[in-house]
Amino acid sequence: MTDLIVAIADGVAVLTLNRPEHRNAYTAEMGALLNQAYRRCDDDDAVRAIVLTGAGEAFCAGADFAAATSPFAAPSAEFTASPTDPAAFELRTPVIAAVNGHAIGIGLTIALQADIRIMAADAKYAVAQVRRGVIPDCMSHWTLPHLAGGAVAADILLTGRTFDGAEAAAMGIATRALPNREVLDHAVAVARDIAVNVAPMSAALSKRLLWDAQINGYTPRRVAELETELHRRVMGSADAREGVDAFLQRRAPRWSASVAKDWEPI
């Protein structure tokens, strides 16, 4: 058994954290496999959307305390607090976190990097590192303020407190909170809708502009300039014509642009 299962069908890659007997506690091997899967999916035109979830009843219970080496031991020279490389928000492909159960520590901070988070309403969530004598990781000091604002980020990161999915949705951390049995199915349904109905190049350009604007602190006018530049890339393209034709003919579109082959950085 591998710590990560990858299944691709109908344009959707489902990446499953796979240590259910340990509530999918995070290991270095799991992280390396996730990084590899993210890269491969992002370079594969057959993958139009990615869903990240956990096997069994938990999403990820945090760092593996049962490992031979404590995750909080004195760090080696190679230590990084952001082992997710690339982060989900650095991809071109939309990433949906199907947080199907408890997500603690790095289990939650990885999910914060996704574009969309569908979270189990009755599960427990926390970025608990300050209660373990360390600090939050995976760029959560950046992702959380951007998702939910500085006040919410301070509340969650500085207290390490536990909250449920309903509160996560109220705070803006969860895109949607659902009963745990519905989380994965809903996330896959969203991913399949993207895979069928959203032009892949349009999704890639829009995602990169959305995140790059935050990362680089673009002004509204700079965003306007880039929106105009990117419109010029796609307007009049085969996919732009196909999108209109499919809408008028009330049929599923047949996209032809290749992000893998035709991508030009913004």
Side-chain angles (χ1 to χ4, degrees):
M1 297 293 289
T2 177
D3 285 1
L4 183 79
I5 296 173
V6 179
I8 300 174
D10 301 322
V12 176
V14 178
L15 314 182
T16 304
L17 307 177
N18 187 45
R19 302 184 71 224
E21 69 281 7
H22 300 291
R23 295 191 299 168
N24 303 317
Y26 181 90
T27 65
E29 174 68 11
M30 178 185 286
L33 290 170
L34 180 59
N35 293 344
Q36 183 182 76
Y38 272 165
R39 291 191 188 98
R40 288 183 175 178
C41 289
D42 203 43
D43 288 333
D44 186 351
D45 282 331
V47 176
R48 302 287 181 80
I50 298 168
V51 173
L52 177 64
T53 194
E57 297 182 353
F59 179 77
C60 176
D64 185 7
F65 291 139
T69 302
S70 168
F72 298 146
S76 66
E78 295 78 25
F79 170 79
T80 174
S82 293
T84 47
D85 184 13
F89 61 75
E90 293 175 311
L91 306 179
R92 298 164 299 187
T93 309
V95 179
I96 302 164
V99 188
N100 55 302
H102 304 325
I104 307 297
I106 195 170
L108 182 55
T109 57
I110 287 175
L112 293 176
Q113 297 179 344
D115 302 298
I116 297 170
R117 281 157 305 285
I118 312 301
M119 299 176 68
D122 56 354
K124 294 180 179 179
Y125 306 106
V127 185
Q129 282 88 330
V130 292
R131 296 185 178 227
R132 309 290 183 263
V134 291
I135 68 169
D137 51 22
C138 289
M139 301 179 245
S140 55
H141 293 86
W142 182 83
T143 55
L144 195 48
H146 279 80
L147 291 173
V152 169
D155 178 20
I156 299 305
L157 298 181
L158 301 185
T159 70
R161 70 177 181 85
T162 299
F163 53 95
D164 63 15
E167 187 178 2
M171 290 187 292
I173 295 172
T175 307
R176 190 167 290 105
L178 297 173
N180 63 345
R181 66 184 179 278
E182 298 177 14
V183 167
L184 179 57
D185 286 346
H186 184 82
V188 170
V190 173
R192 286 180 176 162
D193 180 58
I194 291 172
V196 172
N197 295 305
V198 176
M201 186 64 75
S202 298
L205 290 170
S206 185
K207 171 170 176 171
R208 288 278 28 96
L209 181 55
L210 175 67
W211 285 102
D212 289 352
Q214 298 178 63
I215 293 167
N216 297 314
Y218 293 157
T219 65
R221 281 296 169 190
R222 178 56 180 155
V223 171
E225 291 171 359
L226 288 169
E227 287 176 344
T228 298
E229 176 186 323
L230 298 178
H231 267 91
R232 288 172 176 157
R233 287 194 197 182
V234 294
M235 290 176 73
S237 68
D239 277 356
R241 294 190 297 273
E242 172 62 14
V244 173
D245 289 346
F247 174 75
L248 293 175
Q249 297 167 22
R250 298 185 179 182
R251 59 170 174 80
R254 296 184 288 268
W255 309 118
S256 58
S258 168
V259 175
K261 295 178 183 177
D262 302 332
W263 178 257
E264 296 178 14
I266 296 174

PDB file of all heavy atoms in Angstrom, residues 88-91 95 112-117 142-143 146-147 205-218:
ATOM      1  N   ALA A  88      -0.774  23.650  -3.744  1.00  0.00           N
ATOM      2  CA  ALA A  88      -1.924  23.528  -4.646  1.00  0.00           C
ATOM      3  C   ALA A  88      -2.207  24.834  -5.376  1.00  0.00           C
ATOM      4  O   ALA A  88      -2.589  24.828  -6.549  1.00  0.00           O
ATOM      5  CB  ALA A  88      -3.158  23.079  -3.861  1.00  0.00           C
ATOM      6  N   PHE A  89      -1.998  25.971  -4.707  1.00  0.00           N
ATOM      7  CA  PHE A  89      -2.300  27.248  -5.352  1.00  0.00           C
ATOM      8  C   PHE A  89      -1.248  27.645  -6.389  1.00  0.00           C
ATOM      9  O   PHE A  89      -1.438  28.603  -7.129  1.00  0.00           O
ATOM     10  CB  PHE A  89      -2.497  28.370  -4.327  1.00  0.00           C
ATOM     11  CG  PHE A  89      -1.305  28.669  -3.448  1.00  0.00           C
ATOM     12  CD1 PHE A  89      -0.207  29.349  -3.938  1.00  0.00           C
ATOM     13  CD2 PHE A  89      -1.294  28.277  -2.118  1.00  0.00           C
ATOM     14  CE1 PHE A  89       0.885  29.630  -3.130  1.00  0.00           C
ATOM     15  CE2 PHE A  89      -0.212  28.554  -1.300  1.00  0.00           C
ATOM     16  CZ  PHE A  89       0.883  29.237  -1.807  1.00  0.00           C
ATOM     17  N   GLU A  90      -0.134  26.906  -6.454  1.00  0.00           N
ATOM     18  CA  GLU A  90       0.896  27.197  -7.449  1.00  0.00           C
ATOM     19  C   GLU A  90       0.672  26.441  -8.758  1.00  0.00           C
ATOM     20  O   GLU A  90       1.388  26.674  -9.729  1.00  0.00           O
ATOM     21  CB  GLU A  90       2.275  26.869  -6.881  1.00  0.00           C
ATOM     22  CG  GLU A  90       2.670  27.789  -5.733  1.00  0.00           C
ATOM     23  CD  GLU A  90       3.981  27.411  -5.076  1.00  0.00           C
ATOM     24  OE1 GLU A  90       4.171  26.218  -4.745  1.00  0.00           O
ATOM     25  OE2 GLU A  90       4.823  28.312  -4.879  1.00  0.00           O
ATOM     26  N   LEU A  91      -0.308  25.538  -8.781  1.00  0.00           N
ATOM     27  CA  LEU A  91      -0.617  24.799  -9.997  1.00  0.00           C
ATOM     28  C   LEU A  91      -1.464  25.645 -10.938  1.00  0.00           C
ATOM     29  O   LEU A  91      -1.953  26.715 -10.578  1.00  0.00           O
ATOM     30  CB  LEU A  91      -1.376  23.518  -9.646  1.00  0.00           C
ATOM     31  CG  LEU A  91      -0.734  22.569  -8.633  1.00  0.00           C
ATOM     32  CD1 LEU A  91      -1.638  21.364  -8.402  1.00  0.00           C
ATOM     33  CD2 LEU A  91       0.643  22.135  -9.084  1.00  0.00           C
ATOM     34  N   VAL A  95      -7.807  22.858  -7.844  1.00  0.00           N
ATOM     35  CA  VAL A  95      -7.683  21.840  -6.796  1.00  0.00           C
ATOM     36  C   VAL A  95      -8.804  22.030  -5.783  1.00  0.00           C
ATOM     37  O   VAL A  95      -8.988  23.122  -5.247  1.00  0.00           O
ATOM     38  CB  VAL A  95      -6.317  21.925  -6.082  1.00  0.00           C
ATOM     39  CG1 VAL A  95      -6.235  20.870  -4.974  1.00  0.00           C
ATOM     40  CG2 VAL A  95      -5.171  21.745  -7.076  1.00  0.00           C
ATOM     41  N   LEU A 112      -5.793  24.280   3.213  1.00  0.00           N
ATOM     42  CA  LEU A 112      -5.913  25.728   3.030  1.00  0.00           C
ATOM     43  C   LEU A 112      -5.290  26.186   1.716  1.00  0.00           C
ATOM     44  O   LEU A 112      -5.608  27.269   1.221  1.00  0.00           O
ATOM     45  CB  LEU A 112      -5.250  26.472   4.191  1.00  0.00           C
ATOM     46  CG  LEU A 112      -5.890  26.331   5.569  1.00  0.00           C
ATOM     47  CD1 LEU A 112      -5.054  27.057   6.614  1.00  0.00           C
ATOM     48  CD2 LEU A 112      -7.324  26.842   5.573  1.00  0.00           C
ATOM     49  N   GLN A 113      -4.412  25.367   1.130  1.00  0.00           N
ATOM     50  CA  GLN A 113      -3.754  25.739  -0.120  1.00  0.00           C
ATOM     51  C   GLN A 113      -4.614  25.441  -1.349  1.00  0.00           C
ATOM     52  O   GLN A 113      -4.261  25.863  -2.458  1.00  0.00           O
ATOM     53  CB  GLN A 113      -2.416  25.004  -0.237  1.00  0.00           C
ATOM     54  CG  GLN A 113      -1.425  25.382   0.853  1.00  0.00           C
ATOM     55  CD  GLN A 113      -0.115  24.642   0.743  1.00  0.00           C
ATOM     56  OE1 GLN A 113      -0.005  23.635   0.040  1.00  0.00           O
ATOM     57  NE2 GLN A 113       0.909  25.133   1.414  1.00  0.00           N
ATOM     58  N   ALA A 114      -5.722  24.726  -1.166  1.00  0.00           N
ATOM     59  CA  ALA A 114      -6.587  24.387  -2.294  1.00  0.00           C
ATOM     60  C   ALA A 114      -7.391  25.608  -2.741  1.00  0.00           C
ATOM     61  O   ALA A 114      -7.531  26.592  -2.009  1.00  0.00           O
ATOM     62  CB  ALA A 114      -7.528  23.248  -1.908  1.00  0.00           C
ATOM     63  N   ASP A 115      -7.941  25.516  -3.947  1.00  0.00           N
ATOM     64  CA  ASP A 115      -8.777  26.601  -4.464  1.00  0.00           C
ATOM     65  C   ASP A 115     -10.166  26.593  -3.835  1.00  0.00           C
ATOM     66  O   ASP A 115     -10.757  27.640  -3.587  1.00  0.00           O
ATOM     67  CB  ASP A 115      -8.919  26.461  -5.981  1.00  0.00           C
ATOM     68  CG  ASP A 115      -7.572  26.471  -6.679  1.00  0.00           C
ATOM     69  OD1 ASP A 115      -6.863  27.481  -6.571  1.00  0.00           O
ATOM     70  OD2 ASP A 115      -7.220  25.460  -7.307  1.00  0.00           O
ATOM     71  N   ILE A 116     -10.686  25.388  -3.605  1.00  0.00           N
ATOM     72  CA  ILE A 116     -12.028  25.200  -3.054  1.00  0.00           C
ATOM     73  C   ILE A 116     -11.919  24.165  -1.946  1.00  0.00           C
ATOM     74  O   ILE A 116     -11.214  23.162  -2.097  1.00  0.00           O
ATOM     75  CB  ILE A 116     -13.009  24.710  -4.143  1.00  0.00           C
ATOM     76  CG1 ILE A 116     -13.144  25.768  -5.253  1.00  0.00           C
ATOM     77  CG2 ILE A 116     -14.373  24.365  -3.566  1.00  0.00           C
ATOM     78  CD1 ILE A 116     -13.895  25.272  -6.482  1.00  0.00           C
ATOM     79  N   ARG A 117     -12.622  24.383  -0.818  1.00  0.00           N
ATOM     80  CA  ARG A 117     -12.606  23.433   0.291  1.00  0.00           C
ATOM     81  C   ARG A 117     -14.035  23.029   0.654  1.00  0.00           C
ATOM     82  O   ARG A 117     -14.819  23.865   1.107  1.00  0.00           O
ATOM     83  CB  ARG A 117     -11.925  24.039   1.532  1.00  0.00           C
ATOM     84  CG  ARG A 117     -10.419  24.034   1.489  1.00  0.00           C
ATOM     85  CD  ARG A 117      -9.827  25.084   2.390  1.00  0.00           C
ATOM     86  NE  ARG A 117     -10.375  26.407   2.069  1.00  0.00           N
ATOM     87  CZ  ARG A 117     -10.006  27.109   0.982  1.00  0.00           C
ATOM     88  NH1 ARG A 117      -9.095  26.633   0.156  1.00  0.00           N
ATOM     89  NH2 ARG A 117     -10.568  28.277   0.732  1.00  0.00           N
ATOM     90  N   TRP A 142       0.110  32.989   5.437  1.00  0.00           N
ATOM     91  CA  TRP A 142      -0.287  33.718   4.225  1.00  0.00           C
ATOM     92  C   TRP A 142      -1.642  33.260   3.718  1.00  0.00           C
ATOM     93  O   TRP A 142      -2.511  34.079   3.424  1.00  0.00           O
ATOM     94  CB  TRP A 142       0.772  33.542   3.124  1.00  0.00           C
ATOM     95  CG  TRP A 142       0.451  34.288   1.877  1.00  0.00           C
ATOM     96  CD1 TRP A 142       0.698  35.606   1.617  1.00  0.00           C
ATOM     97  CD2 TRP A 142      -0.210  33.775   0.709  1.00  0.00           C
ATOM     98  NE1 TRP A 142       0.246  35.950   0.358  1.00  0.00           N
ATOM     99  CE2 TRP A 142      -0.310  34.839  -0.219  1.00  0.00           C
ATOM    100  CE3 TRP A 142      -0.713  32.526   0.354  1.00  0.00           C
ATOM    101  CZ2 TRP A 142      -0.900  34.687  -1.478  1.00  0.00           C
ATOM    102  CZ3 TRP A 142      -1.297  32.370  -0.898  1.00  0.00           C
ATOM    103  CH2 TRP A 142      -1.386  33.449  -1.797  1.00  0.00           C
ATOM    104  N   THR A 143      -1.862  31.942   3.636  1.00  0.00           N
ATOM    105  CA  THR A 143      -3.125  31.455   3.074  1.00  0.00           C
ATOM    106  C   THR A 143      -4.317  31.842   3.941  1.00  0.00           C
ATOM    107  O   THR A 143      -5.343  32.302   3.426  1.00  0.00           O
ATOM    108  CB  THR A 143      -3.114  29.926   2.899  1.00  0.00           C
ATOM    109  OG1 THR A 143      -2.807  29.286   4.154  1.00  0.00           O
ATOM    110  CG2 THR A 143      -2.110  29.493   1.846  1.00  0.00           C
ATOM    111  N   HIS A 146      -5.492  35.454   3.732  1.00  0.00           N
ATOM    112  CA  HIS A 146      -6.071  35.741   2.424  1.00  0.00           C
ATOM    113  C   HIS A 146      -7.446  35.107   2.259  1.00  0.00           C
ATOM    114  O   HIS A 146      -8.307  35.646   1.573  1.00  0.00           O
ATOM    115  CB  HIS A 146      -5.121  35.283   1.312  1.00  0.00           C
ATOM    116  CG  HIS A 146      -4.031  36.257   1.026  1.00  0.00           C
ATOM    117  ND1 HIS A 146      -2.903  36.345   1.800  1.00  0.00           N
ATOM    118  CD2 HIS A 146      -3.913  37.217   0.076  1.00  0.00           C
ATOM    119  CE1 HIS A 146      -2.123  37.308   1.334  1.00  0.00           C
ATOM    120  NE2 HIS A 146      -2.705  37.852   0.293  1.00  0.00           N
ATOM    121  N   LEU A 147      -7.651  33.957   2.898  1.00  0.00           N
ATOM    122  CA  LEU A 147      -8.944  33.294   2.801  1.00  0.00           C
ATOM    123  C   LEU A 147      -9.985  33.943   3.703  1.00  0.00           C
ATOM    124  O   LEU A 147     -11.130  34.152   3.296  1.00  0.00           O
ATOM    125  CB  LEU A 147      -8.814  31.818   3.186  1.00  0.00           C
ATOM    126  CG  LEU A 147      -8.041  30.904   2.245  1.00  0.00           C
ATOM    127  CD1 LEU A 147      -7.889  29.533   2.883  1.00  0.00           C
ATOM    128  CD2 LEU A 147      -8.746  30.799   0.911  1.00  0.00           C
ATOM    129  N   LEU A 205      -5.549  30.091 -16.805  1.00  0.00           N
ATOM    130  CA  LEU A 205      -5.215  31.512 -16.791  1.00  0.00           C
ATOM    131  C   LEU A 205      -5.908  32.233 -15.639  1.00  0.00           C
ATOM    132  O   LEU A 205      -5.308  33.069 -14.949  1.00  0.00           O
ATOM    133  CB  LEU A 205      -5.601  32.146 -18.124  1.00  0.00           C
ATOM    134  CG  LEU A 205      -4.757  31.735 -19.337  1.00  0.00           C
ATOM    135  CD1 LEU A 205      -5.397  32.250 -20.618  1.00  0.00           C
ATOM    136  CD2 LEU A 205      -3.329  32.233 -19.205  1.00  0.00           C
ATOM    137  N   SER A 206      -7.182  31.914 -15.426  1.00  0.00           N
ATOM    138  CA  SER A 206      -7.919  32.574 -14.356  1.00  0.00           C
ATOM    139  C   SER A 206      -7.360  32.208 -12.989  1.00  0.00           C
ATOM    140  O   SER A 206      -7.211  33.075 -12.112  1.00  0.00           O
ATOM    141  CB  SER A 206      -9.404  32.204 -14.442  1.00  0.00           C
ATOM    142  OG  SER A 206     -10.151  32.922 -13.483  1.00  0.00           O
ATOM    143  N   LYS A 207      -7.020  30.937 -12.803  1.00  0.00           N
ATOM    144  CA  LYS A 207      -6.457  30.524 -11.513  1.00  0.00           C
ATOM    145  C   LYS A 207      -5.133  31.221 -11.255  1.00  0.00           C
ATOM    146  O   LYS A 207      -4.884  31.720 -10.154  1.00  0.00           O
ATOM    147  CB  LYS A 207      -6.279  29.005 -11.460  1.00  0.00           C
ATOM    148  CG  LYS A 207      -5.498  28.565 -10.217  1.00  0.00           C
ATOM    149  CD  LYS A 207      -5.476  27.085  -9.978  1.00  0.00           C
ATOM    150  CE  LYS A 207      -4.586  26.755  -8.783  1.00  0.00           C
ATOM    151  NZ  LYS A 207      -4.678  25.356  -8.349  1.00  0.00           N
ATOM    152  N   ARG A 208      -4.263  31.247 -12.250  1.00  0.00           N
ATOM    153  CA  ARG A 208      -2.965  31.865 -12.036  1.00  0.00           C
ATOM    154  C   ARG A 208      -3.112  33.361 -11.754  1.00  0.00           C
ATOM    155  O   ARG A 208      -2.425  33.908 -10.888  1.00  0.00           O
ATOM    156  CB  ARG A 208      -2.055  31.646 -13.247  1.00  0.00           C
ATOM    157  CG  ARG A 208      -1.571  30.228 -13.372  1.00  0.00           C
ATOM    158  CD  ARG A 208      -0.345  29.857 -12.494  1.00  0.00           C
ATOM    159  NE  ARG A 208      -0.164  30.585 -11.261  1.00  0.00           N
ATOM    160  CZ  ARG A 208      -0.572  30.168 -10.060  1.00  0.00           C
ATOM    161  NH1 ARG A 208      -1.206  29.016  -9.920  1.00  0.00           N
ATOM    162  NH2 ARG A 208      -0.337  30.871  -8.985  1.00  0.00           N
ATOM    163  N   LEU A 209      -4.007  34.043 -12.469  1.00  0.00           N
ATOM    164  CA  LEU A 209      -4.197  35.463 -12.206  1.00  0.00           C
ATOM    165  C   LEU A 209      -4.788  35.679 -10.821  1.00  0.00           C
ATOM    166  O   LEU A 209      -4.374  36.604 -10.090  1.00  0.00           O
ATOM    167  CB  LEU A 209      -5.100  36.089 -13.279  1.00  0.00           C
ATOM    168  CG  LEU A 209      -5.362  37.592 -13.137  1.00  0.00           C
ATOM    169  CD1 LEU A 209      -4.052  38.376 -13.070  1.00  0.00           C
ATOM    170  CD2 LEU A 209      -6.232  38.089 -14.279  1.00  0.00           C
ATOM    171  N   LEU A 210      -5.726  34.857 -10.431  1.00  0.00           N
ATOM    172  CA  LEU A 210      -6.350  34.972  -9.109  1.00  0.00           C
ATOM    173  C   LEU A 210      -5.307  34.893  -8.001  1.00  0.00           C
ATOM    174  O   LEU A 210      -5.268  35.735  -7.091  1.00  0.00           O
ATOM    175  CB  LEU A 210      -7.394  33.864  -8.944  1.00  0.00           C
ATOM    176  CG  LEU A 210      -8.079  33.755  -7.580  1.00  0.00           C
ATOM    177  CD1 LEU A 210      -8.956  34.971  -7.331  1.00  0.00           C
ATOM    178  CD2 LEU A 210      -8.905  32.480  -7.507  1.00  0.00           C
ATOM    179  N   TRP A 211      -4.442  33.874  -8.059  1.00  0.00           N
ATOM    180  CA  TRP A 211      -3.457  33.676  -6.999  1.00  0.00           C
ATOM    181  C   TRP A 211      -2.265  34.618  -7.148  1.00  0.00           C
ATOM    182  O   TRP A 211      -1.760  35.156  -6.160  1.00  0.00           O
ATOM    183  CB  TRP A 211      -2.998  32.227  -6.958  1.00  0.00           C
ATOM    184  CG  TRP A 211      -4.014  31.315  -6.364  1.00  0.00           C
ATOM    185  CD1 TRP A 211      -4.873  30.474  -7.014  1.00  0.00           C
ATOM    186  CD2 TRP A 211      -4.297  31.145  -4.963  1.00  0.00           C
ATOM    187  NE1 TRP A 211      -5.663  29.797  -6.123  1.00  0.00           N
ATOM    188  CE2 TRP A 211      -5.338  30.183  -4.847  1.00  0.00           C
ATOM    189  CE3 TRP A 211      -3.782  31.711  -3.803  1.00  0.00           C
ATOM    190  CZ2 TRP A 211      -5.847  29.789  -3.618  1.00  0.00           C
ATOM    191  CZ3 TRP A 211      -4.297  31.305  -2.577  1.00  0.00           C
ATOM    192  CH2 TRP A 211      -5.324  30.364  -2.500  1.00  0.00           C
ATOM    193  N   ASP A 212      -1.799  34.823  -8.390  1.00  0.00           N
ATOM    194  CA  ASP A 212      -0.636  35.694  -8.577  1.00  0.00           C
ATOM    195  C   ASP A 212      -0.936  37.123  -8.143  1.00  0.00           C
ATOM    196  O   ASP A 212      -0.051  37.836  -7.649  1.00  0.00           O
ATOM    197  CB  ASP A 212      -0.189  35.681 -10.038  1.00  0.00           C
ATOM    198  CG  ASP A 212       0.460  34.371 -10.443  1.00  0.00           C
ATOM    199  OD1 ASP A 212       0.695  33.527  -9.557  1.00  0.00           O
ATOM    200  OD2 ASP A 212       0.716  34.183 -11.649  1.00  0.00           O
ATOM    201  N   ALA A 213      -2.182  37.566  -8.341  1.00  0.00           N
ATOM    202  CA  ALA A 213      -2.556  38.907  -7.905  1.00  0.00           C
ATOM    203  C   ALA A 213      -2.393  39.055  -6.402  1.00  0.00           C
ATOM    204  O   ALA A 213      -1.957  40.107  -5.904  1.00  0.00           O
ATOM    205  CB  ALA A 213      -3.990  39.215  -8.321  1.00  0.00           C
ATOM    206  N   GLN A 214      -2.722  37.990  -5.656  1.00  0.00           N
ATOM    207  CA  GLN A 214      -2.560  38.028  -4.200  1.00  0.00           C
ATOM    208  C   GLN A 214      -1.098  37.897  -3.808  1.00  0.00           C
ATOM    209  O   GLN A 214      -0.598  38.628  -2.930  1.00  0.00           O
ATOM    210  CB  GLN A 214      -3.378  36.910  -3.565  1.00  0.00           C
ATOM    211  CG  GLN A 214      -4.873  37.019  -3.813  1.00  0.00           C
ATOM    212  CD  GLN A 214      -5.637  35.863  -3.203  1.00  0.00           C
ATOM    213  OE1 GLN A 214      -5.638  35.690  -1.988  1.00  0.00           O
ATOM    214  NE2 GLN A 214      -6.279  35.067  -4.038  1.00  0.00           N
ATOM    215  N   ILE A 215      -0.404  36.959  -4.447  1.00  0.00           N
ATOM    216  CA  ILE A 215       0.997  36.706  -4.095  1.00  0.00           C
ATOM    217  C   ILE A 215       1.857  37.942  -4.346  1.00  0.00           C
ATOM    218  O   ILE A 215       2.709  38.310  -3.539  1.00  0.00           O
ATOM    219  CB  ILE A 215       1.531  35.509  -4.911  1.00  0.00           C
ATOM    220  CG1 ILE A 215       0.834  34.214  -4.480  1.00  0.00           C
ATOM    221  CG2 ILE A 215       3.043  35.366  -4.747  1.00  0.00           C
ATOM    222  CD1 ILE A 215       1.067  33.044  -5.421  1.00  0.00           C
ATOM    223  N   ASN A 216       1.622  38.602  -5.484  1.00  0.00           N
ATOM    224  CA  ASN A 216       2.459  39.727  -5.896  1.00  0.00           C
ATOM    225  C   ASN A 216       1.897  41.086  -5.504  1.00  0.00           C
ATOM    226  O   ASN A 216       2.529  42.113  -5.761  1.00  0.00           O
ATOM    227  CB  ASN A 216       2.657  39.685  -7.412  1.00  0.00           C
ATOM    228  CG  ASN A 216       3.386  38.427  -7.853  1.00  0.00           C
ATOM    229  OD1 ASN A 216       4.390  38.042  -7.273  1.00  0.00           O
ATOM    230  ND2 ASN A 216       2.865  37.775  -8.888  1.00  0.00           N
ATOM    231  N   GLY A 217       0.713  41.086  -4.898  1.00  0.00           N
ATOM    232  CA  GLY A 217       0.129  42.346  -4.447  1.00  0.00           C
ATOM    233  C   GLY A 217      -0.208  43.300  -5.573  1.00  0.00           C
ATOM    234  O   GLY A 217      -0.016  44.515  -5.464  1.00  0.00           O
ATOM    235  N   TYR A 218      -0.753  42.762  -6.676  1.00  0.00           N
ATOM    236  CA  TYR A 218      -1.101  43.615  -7.808  1.00  0.00           C
ATOM    237  C   TYR A 218      -2.166  44.643  -7.415  1.00  0.00           C
ATOM    238  O   TYR A 218      -3.084  44.348  -6.658  1.00  0.00           O
ATOM    239  CB  TYR A 218      -1.658  42.776  -8.966  1.00  0.00           C
ATOM    240  CG  TYR A 218      -0.680  41.839  -9.621  1.00  0.00           C
ATOM    241  CD1 TYR A 218      -1.139  40.727 -10.308  1.00  0.00           C
ATOM    242  CD2 TYR A 218       0.696  42.058  -9.564  1.00  0.00           C
ATOM    243  CE1 TYR A 218      -0.259  39.844 -10.931  1.00  0.00           C
ATOM    244  CE2 TYR A 218       1.578  41.188 -10.176  1.00  0.00           C
ATOM    245  CZ  TYR A 218       1.102  40.087 -10.860  1.00  0.00           C
ATOM    246  OH  TYR A 218       1.974  39.225 -11.469  1.00  0.00           O
TER     247      TYR A 218
END
